[in-house]
Amino acid sequence: MNLETDILVIGGGSAGCMAAIVAKEQNPDVSVVIIEKGEISRSGSIAMGMDALNIVVQPGITSPELYMKSALIATEGILDYNPSNIMAERSYSMLKRLESWGIRFPRDEENKYISLQVHAKGNFLLEMDSPDLKLVLAEKVKEAGVRIINRTIITKLLANGERANGAMGFNIRSGEFVVCKAKVTILANGGCARFSLPNSGYLYGTFDYPGNAGDGYSLAYQAGAQLTGFEYTQCSPLIKDLNCPLLYITLTRGAEVVNALGETIDLEYVSTQNMLKELREGRGPIFIKMNHLPEERIREIERILFTTERPIQKKFWENRGVDFREGLIELGETEYQLCGGHGMTGIVVNEKAETTLKGLYAAGDVACVPFQHLTGAFVFGEVAAEEAVKFVNNKELSEVDQSMINDEEQRLHNIMDNNKNGSISVKDFEYKVRRTISDYAIPPKNDQKLKRFLWWLPRFREEMKSIRITDYHELSKFEEIQFILDCAELSVHASLARKESRWGWFHYRTDYPEKDDRNWLKHIVLKKGIKSGEVQTLLVPIKKGGKN
Amino acid sequence: MPLIVDVDLCTSCGECVERCPMDIIRLNNDGHPYKKYDECWYCGVCEEDCPEKALVLDIPFLVK
């Protein structure tokens, strides 16, 4: 399939749908294509909806300045001012846009939005009642006249080191090779959910949507864009084994977290690090306790948890025989992930969603706008679209080197040919890669340990020739393992470079146990060396703004 | 890790195959859905979007 378009959006989740809709809104004559690995009605991290919009600055109640103070605390100073500030400034109009599309935001008796404090300063989290959020977004995309290519994985960007001109990939069912030349490419394909191994041992039992294997990080890196925040290896205390979230919904309604000694844990604005500390220091298991809550409150909690985002929880608790009215909910540590929404990992972007590669924009979890959550995905989807439409104006498609396209098609053909009799299943291979990430690439970190992963890395890449591939679905898993390996390589290099400890446990180095603001209030930026092909590490100053 | 199908209700419409975010569901020779690949995130889309409510999604053994 050969496509040509003004704007190519890679990934049809929260950010990608918003980008496509807004691009058409800005100029209906601009052609927009979304290439999506799943099926757009139910894909990405919000397939079954979401229960909150985490960052909304309500005029007269909070302010962007107050949000920026919270963001500086959360990032411990590793924060460029402008992108996060723009997100805060535009968050309220985004809320109004979503409301106009029929997304419900509950209000209290005084007709005020129900908000919760999960940041150091200010109530920025607004409750959202929207199990059908993704269906609504997908419908808007279709109404806007966007061309949607489902079930297609992107394996390489069309880029020449300075400029992006589209992307290539294949249909994961039919294997059809897809080339899409574009004036502008917007990456919106999520973070790396399949990083370390979940404690359950089930590869796909991850907190975040496991379709996101770090595709966008790897694609951007290989194309020459800059990335950052890869040393922020992050996990959460969620429902043990199931790894589904429930903290905000329960804790903001009066539930408590207790440890094995029956002590209530001080949560300090739902600080997950305090809970993880109890586990690491041997005071686990830890539990959510809500048997003291009134029946009405428990029913409200059940209604939200059992209908939105991860409704499987209902069956899980029924099977375990746990009733929230009596039983305790055991929390466990999830696997570690890399994410620009929950964490600080992503492609370097400015306040216009521009990456360091011309013609390439990034939005949502794939971009580094720290702790942007769903708000950031939507706002930066909008920003990327506005900028993309301006960029497209009066430009012709760039010349694309045909040999690059031929080489990629040939590479995929070769894997199908050479690997059909391989001896290792994709599942076993991914298991060992992620087990090795668990062994060496996550906290507590030290120089020796991190370098053990670098010893394994070339072995894994070499051994991939022994993976057995019998269909295009498995070929997509093969490609995803390459993405995971690239992400791990980037993360290990960033972790080695930051010779201090920061963000509590998430970048704790036993050989540099102290935080060192004098030397390390800076970004670790990664890019691919043009000549060597190896990871280049740059120390980049923080871009301050406002009154900071 | 089965997908429990009520064969009296299932019309073999394939909606579950089309909607599964991980693309792991296929129809067997009888036209009923099964999980072809062991990569279920137990999101529940198949169960929710089945027009006949003919599906029950089970949680993988390692997790449940």
Side-chain angles (χ1 to χ4, degrees):
Chain A
M1 183 185 283
N2 286 297
L3 303 165
E4 291 189 354
T5 184
D6 292 322
I7 299 173
L8 167 63
V9 181
I10 300 173
S14 318
C17 283
M18 187 60 71
I21 296 162
V22 173
K24 280 295 206 183
E25 197 178 88
Q26 295 275 309
N27 182 356
D29 296 331
V30 163
S31 57
V32 181
V33 171
I34 291 183
I35 296 186
E36 160 60 47
K37 196 155 63 170
E39 196 277 332
I40 197 162
S41 313
R42 294 289 200 183
S43 64
S45 298
I46 58 159
M48 292 294 274
M50 194 53 65
D51 51 32
L53 197 55
N54 280 43
I55 302 144
V56 180
V57 173
Q58 297 186 70
I61 298 175
T62 52
S63 64
E65 292 73 34
L66 194 65
Y67 173 73
M68 290 308 293
K69 280 182 188 162
S70 287
L72 267 176
I73 292 169
T75 56
E76 299 192 11
I78 312 298
L79 178 74
D80 286 346
Y81 186 87
N82 284 346
S84 292
N85 187 52
I86 285 282
M87 173 183 67
E89 283 181 353
R90 296 176 63 141
S91 59
Y92 193 71
S93 63
M94 180 50 70
L95 163 86
K96 290 293 165 190
R97 177 193 277 278
L98 294 169
E99 264 191 335
S100 77
W101 292 352
I103 304 300
R104 297 165 299 280
F105 292 86
R107 294 170 184 255
D108 62 16
E109 305 84 39
E110 294 169 24
N111 205 31
K112 289 182 180 146
Y113 292 114
I114 298 178
S115 65
L116 308 162
Q117 181 166 4
V118 297
H119 294 84
K121 297 178 187 296
N123 290 28
F124 296 104
L125 182 143
L126 252 59
E127 277 199 25
M128 183 168 66
D129 186 2
S130 67
D132 56 351
L133 178 61
K134 191 66 210 294
L135 296 170
V136 171
L137 285 174
E139 205 47 49
K140 290 276 168 198
V141 168
K142 288 170 194 164
E143 279 171 15
V146 173
R147 182 160 183 196
I148 302 160
I149 311 289
N150 286 317
R151 304 291 180 200
T152 299
I153 184 173
I154 294 299
T155 56
K156 196 175 173 69
L157 295 182
L158 284 166
N160 60 11
E162 289 168 12
R163 181 156 173 15
N165 299 307
M168 301 173 278
F170 64 93
N171 183 295
I172 62 172
R173 290 182 181 173
S174 69
E176 184 184 10
F177 187 60
V178 176
V179 181
C180 184
K181 296 176 184 169
K183 294 175 189 169
V184 173
T185 307
I186 300 175
L187 274 172
N189 48 352
C192 182
R194 279 166 34 221
F195 195 57
S196 77
L197 202 60
N199 286 327
S200 68
Y202 180 62
L203 284 176
Y204 285 75
T206 52
F207 164 31
D208 238 336
Y209 171 57
N212 297 336
D215 309 35
Y217 297 151
S218 173
L219 293 170
Y221 170 71
Q222 296 295 350
Q226 293 186 2
L227 300 104
T228 194
F230 274 72
E231 69 277 31
Y232 191 90
T233 41
Q234 173 241 335
C235 68
S236 306
L238 301 181
I239 298 171
K240 186 176 180 300
D241 303 335
L242 192 67
N243 281 349
C244 290
L246 81 173
L247 294 176
Y248 289 170
I249 297 299
T250 54
L251 299 181
T252 49
R253 286 177 172 75
E256 295 172 350
V257 180
V258 295
N259 64 18
L261 310 173
E263 298 161 341
T264 303
I265 301 167
D266 177 13
L267 292 175
E268 205 188 353
Y269 313 121
V270 198
S271 159
T272 56
Q273 298 242 10
N274 285 7
M275 294 181 230
L276 295 168
K277 196 162 171 250
E278 295 293 307
L279 290 174
R280 280 195 306 277
E281 294 182 355
R283 290 185 295 277
I286 61 171
F287 302 96
I288 286 187
K289 174 181 156 303
M290 48 180 150
N291 55 10
H292 55 290
L293 298 182
E295 174 63 22
E296 184 191 341
R297 194 69 66 81
I298 300 231
R299 278 203 199 149
E300 188 190 342
I301 288 170
E302 286 178 336
R303 185 187 65 80
I304 300 168
L305 290 181
F306 298 167
T307 60
T308 308
E309 193 179 356
R310 304 307 308 276
I312 197 77
Q313 290 189 40
K314 183 169 191 289
K315 275 184 210 174
F316 181 79
W317 295 121
E318 279 169 5
N319 178 58
R320 295 257 173 128
V322 173
D323 185 326
F324 293 172
R325 288 153 192 83
E326 298 154 16
L328 294 169
I329 295 174
E330 186 175 353
L331 299 176
E333 186 177 283
T334 64
E335 71 290 338
Y336 287 73
Q337 63 166 179
L338 302 171
C339 181
H342 293 105
M344 301 176 54
T345 308
I347 301 166
V348 173
V349 291
N350 62 14
E351 63 276 17
K352 295 178 176 178
E354 292 169 326
T355 72
T356 53
L357 214 58
K358 208 171 173 202
L360 185 69
Y361 295 72
D365 286 349
V366 78
C368 177
V369 179
F371 310 107
Q372 60 181 303
H373 291 273
L374 186 58
T375 305
F378 284 151
V379 169
F380 271 83
E382 199 176 57
V383 169
E386 291 168 6
E387 296 299 326
V389 169
K390 280 188 228 163
F391 187 90
V392 160
N393 206 13
N394 298 325
K395 280 198 181 62
E396 297 298 315
L397 276 171
S398 298
E399 276 298 310
V400 172
D401 182 2
Q402 185 61 34
S403 68
M404 190 186 227
I405 296 172
N406 298 343
D407 288 352
E408 182 63 359
E409 189 171 15
Q410 193 59 49
R411 182 183 72 82
L412 295 166
H413 272 300
N414 289 346
I415 299 168
M416 287 304 283
D417 275 350
N418 299 337
N419 287 56
K420 62 185 172 215
N421 297 316
S423 57
I424 309 167
S425 70
V426 276
K427 187 177 165 186
D428 275 0
F429 202 97
E430 180 171 336
Y431 187 94
K432 186 162 171 182
V433 165
R434 290 173 60 195
R435 192 200 75 203
T436 309
I437 291 172
S438 294
D439 287 342
Y440 301 122
I442 61 173
K445 305 170 186 174
N446 65 51
D447 188 81
Q448 281 292 318
K449 190 176 164 183
L450 292 162
K451 284 178 178 163
R452 289 298 297 151
F453 188 85
L454 296 181
W455 181 85
W456 274 100
L457 189 63
R459 280 178 82 99
F460 279 133
R461 287 189 171 135
E462 175 64 22
E463 280 179 327
M464 285 190 76
K465 67 175 185 294
S466 302
I467 297 180
R468 182 171 61 257
I469 305 292
T470 59
D471 63 18
Y472 292 102
H473 182 97
E474 288 179 345
L475 181 62
S476 76
K477 297 296 142 187
F478 181 100
E479 293 299 298
E480 288 174 351
I481 290 171
Q482 299 201 107
F483 298 150
I484 296 168
L485 284 171
D486 280 357
C487 287
E489 181 176 23
L490 291 170
S491 181
V492 164
H493 278 281
S495 291
L496 281 167
R498 186 174 286 285
K499 292 185 171 51
E500 61 151 359
S501 290
R502 191 172 287 271
W503 310 300
W505 181 250
F506 296 159
H507 180 68
Y508 176 58
R509 283 194 55 159
T510 51
D511 47 356
Y512 299 96
E514 303 299 325
K515 183 158 100 173
D516 177 5
D517 276 342
R518 253 187 78 192
N519 293 305
W520 291 101
L521 269 178
K522 50 189 75 160
H523 300 288
I524 309 282
V525 169
L526 307 163
K527 66 175 293 206
K528 189 171 179 175
I530 295 168
K531 283 186 186 153
S532 66
E534 302 211 325
V535 181
Q536 306 290 303
T537 307
L538 317 167
L539 300 179
V540 173
I542 309 288
K543 295 184 188 73
K544 293 185 177 179
K547 290 173 192 153
N548 297 298
Chain B
M1 191 174 59
L3 209 50
I4 303 156
V5 185
D6 186 329
V7 294
D8 294 332
L9 293 177
C10 177
T11 63
S12 307
C13 70
E15 192 68 7
C16 50
V17 179
E18 290 316 306
R19 286 289 174 95
C20 172
M22 300 302 294
D23 201 25
I24 61 168
I25 303 176
R26 295 290 183 271
L27 300 183
N28 64 19
N29 290 338
D30 297 327
H32 301 137
Y34 73 102
K35 287 183 188 171
K36 183 174 178 188
Y37 304 96
D38 187 17
E39 295 151 8
C40 176
W41 193 44
Y42 36 91
C43 65
V45 163
C46 52
E47 199 178 291
E48 178 70 21
D49 288 359
C50 173
E52 309 302 329
K53 297 284 169 247
L55 276 181
V56 177
L57 173 70
D58 203 6
I59 303 172
F61 171 71
L62 287 174
V63 170
K64 75 191 277 184

